[in-house]
Amino acid sequence: MTGPLDGVRIIDLTAMISGPLATMMLADQGAEVIKVENPAGGDFTRSAANRQGGMSALFLNNNRNKKSVALNLKEPEGREALLKLVATADVFVQNFRPGVIARMGLGEEELRKVAPGLIMVSVSGFGDSGPYAQRPVYDPLIQGLSGLATVQAGADGRRPQLVRTILPDKLTGVTAAQAITAALFARERTGEGQHIRLSMLDAIVAFLWSSDMGSQTFVHGDLPQQEAASFQDLIYETTTGYITIAVQNDREWQAIIRALERPEWAGDARFRTAELRQQNIDARLELIQSVIRTDSAEHWLARLEQERVPCAPVLTRAQMLDHPQVRANDLLLNYQHPQAGLIRQSRAPSRFSAAPDHDWQGAPTLGQHTRALLTNCGYSPEEIQDMIDSGTAGG
């Protein structure tokens, strides 16, 4: 593959979502990602539901453009083989619980003996130390502990709600990918590797702070706890479906008045300024909804677009596939996977002018590249077969 990370080799010991998503992003950008899995089943997401041709959608969508080597790292021979791979690598990524990788004999000291300039990445759930460090972690737990579930509810006093996607997992993956590229850039300048430590909890708290922690920003300020301006969202029901409208400034307020043909709203004292419109948000949204529900989505979108009011249809996942803007972006691509058949995926969102589009390699089968990569490390065919026969390797 070609791309901005062409020539970078990454050893990926991660499983589930956060780590595999991070390394897939880097693989999409040209890095050679070698996914190391246990021969006895591999990444748990391989066995997830929604399957075709023996491959799960969850695994396919987080592991494309990678190579798979199956090694039993509980065996000395498996660890020795891994270290030979690490000796050829630029980056090593793992998301075991804190301390596990060191107990396996694969801690930073051991890795740097074979790869002094290695960038090592440790992704955890709650952090490296503290009362929760050794606890098992899943996405809902991070949503709860970080405050995200309370933010999603709209106010501290309301029943918390989970975001209906695994945001902490996925955002941690995006954060890890950015940190890895930053560390690679730093190594180009200094010649030195480093150890990146990242927790899901850290990623989500930092994510929330930019827009949702205003009441917690001023340490000595006497500010109220976060309260919702309104418990209504910006989704409006029409006779044929749902649309969303976002009106922020005076120009847009005057524009929606024209689009909805409600000139009397212009003289309403509750809505004369942006501040007043925010204070009276429930009344404003109820008025808009009372008009929107009288006609179709198509009618209102046309009127709103004519007046340049920010708006969009609210689509189901299936409807999104055929929307003209999605098609114009060439966002979704179909390709043939050797096991799963014809599959559809979204391309990498960033497009590089110096790296033309390339053919994707579908997510690998377990141990698909074990023989080839161990051969490159100096193992003979007989030695590799012995490792496979003993269960130390798979392929």
Side-chain angles (χ1 to χ4, degrees):
M1 289 179 60
T2 59
L5 295 179
D6 187 36
V8 172
R9 174 174 271 196
I10 299 172
I11 307 300
D12 177 11
L13 265 65
T14 67
M16 298 300 285
I17 303 297
S18 60
L21 176 60
T23 54
M24 188 183 78
M25 292 176 64
L26 303 175
D28 285 348
Q29 294 171 5
E32 180 189 19
V33 175
I34 301 172
K35 185 177 180 72
V36 179
E37 305 174 75
N38 192 309
D43 190 326
F44 175 78
T45 61
R46 286 187 180 275
S47 61
N50 197 357
R51 308 170 62 77
Q52 186 169 288
M55 302 288 286
S56 75
L58 192 61
F59 185 82
L60 289 166
N61 291 335
N62 291 281
N63 291 282
R64 68 170 174 246
N65 292 325
K66 300 181 186 180
K67 299 175 180 178
S68 173
V69 171
L71 293 173
N72 183 353
L73 299 180
K74 293 181 180 179
E75 297 293 333
E77 281 185 291
R79 293 193 295 274
E80 181 182 351
L82 177 67
L83 288 172
K84 289 185 177 181
L85 287 170
V86 170
T88 69
D90 300 284
V91 182
F92 177 91
V93 190
Q94 60 87 19
N95 64 348
F96 295 108
R97 288 188 203 174
V100 170
I101 197 72
R103 292 195 295 273
M104 294 169 65
L106 296 168
E108 184 172 4
E109 183 177 351
E110 288 76 15
L111 297 181
R112 294 208 182 280
K113 289 177 182 177
V114 299
L118 187 71
I119 293 165
M120 185 174 177
V121 185
S122 299
V123 180
S124 64
F126 294 111
D128 292 332
S129 62
Y132 279 45
Q134 296 301 319
R135 294 192 182 191
V137 62
Y138 291 103
D139 194 275
L141 280 62
I142 299 298
Q143 291 202 36
L145 186 61
S146 67
L148 175 58
T150 301
V151 170
Q152 182 67 10
D156 290 357
R158 288 176 66 89
R159 187 184 190 279
Q161 297 180 7
L162 294 178
V163 178
R164 301 295 291 184
T165 186
I166 51 171
L167 179 62
D169 268 302
K170 292 188 282 189
L171 184 65
T172 300
V174 174
T175 304
Q178 189 279 326
I180 290 168
T181 54
L184 285 167
F185 180 75
R187 195 180 68 174
E188 285 295 307
R189 289 190 163 184
T190 67
E192 297 180 359
Q194 55 186 298
H195 192 165
I196 300 169
R197 294 176 176 84
L198 168 67
S199 79
M200 293 170 65
L201 179 61
D202 292 355
I204 292 302
V205 171
F207 170 77
L208 291 175
W209 217 276
S210 67
S211 64
D212 302 294
M213 305 296 285
S215 295
Q216 289 72 37
T217 297
F218 301 105
V219 175
H220 299 297
D222 185 19
L223 295 175
Q225 289 302 302
Q226 199 71 34
E227 296 179 359
S230 173
F231 292 120
Q232 300 185 52
D233 54 30
L234 299 178
I235 304 295
Y236 297 95
E237 182 180 1
T238 75
T239 58
T240 58
Y242 296 90
I243 64 174
T244 179
I245 308 169
V247 174
Q248 299 291 334
N249 55 42
D250 290 336
R251 186 203 67 76
E252 292 165 352
W253 175 242
Q254 295 301 321
I256 197 173
I257 288 173
R258 294 192 299 272
L260 303 188
E261 299 180 348
R262 291 298 187 273
E264 65 274 16
W265 293 358
D268 194 315
R270 296 173 297 176
F271 310 134
R272 284 178 182 165
T273 67
E275 182 179 5
L276 287 169
R277 289 193 294 274
Q278 184 63 21
Q279 290 174 3
N280 295 286
I281 187 171
D282 283 330
R284 175 167 56 88
L285 297 183
E286 287 169 3
L287 281 175
I288 295 172
Q289 177 62 90
S290 69
V291 178
I292 294 296
R293 66 166 50 97
T294 64
D295 215 320
S296 68
E298 296 75 15
H299 168 80
W300 289 122
L301 288 172
R303 289 286 301 126
L304 292 163
E305 290 165 10
Q306 184 179 13
E307 297 291 346
R308 298 178 56 222
V309 177
C311 64
V314 175
L315 305 177
T316 65
R317 283 168 278 197
Q319 290 171 336
M320 176 273 292
L321 302 179
D322 292 319
H323 191 273
Q325 186 60 57
V326 174
R327 288 186 172 276
N329 290 359
D330 291 324
L331 180 57
L332 304 176
L333 301 175
N334 296 352
Y335 69 99
Q336 197 73 28
H337 188 280
Q339 283 73 41
L342 186 64
I343 64 175
R344 177 195 298 115
Q345 291 183 324
S346 67
R347 62 165 171 77
S350 299
R351 309 180 86 169
F352 296 86
S353 61
D357 292 338
H358 50 74
D359 293 333
W360 286 349
Q361 300 299 314
T365 55
L366 180 59
Q368 180 178 338
H369 304 92
T370 300
R371 292 179 185 272
L373 288 167
L374 291 188
T375 297
N376 291 341
C377 288
Y379 287 87
S380 70
E382 294 76 18
E383 289 173 319
I384 296 171
Q385 189 60 53
D386 287 344
M387 292 173 68
I388 292 174
D389 291 343
S390 69
T392 300

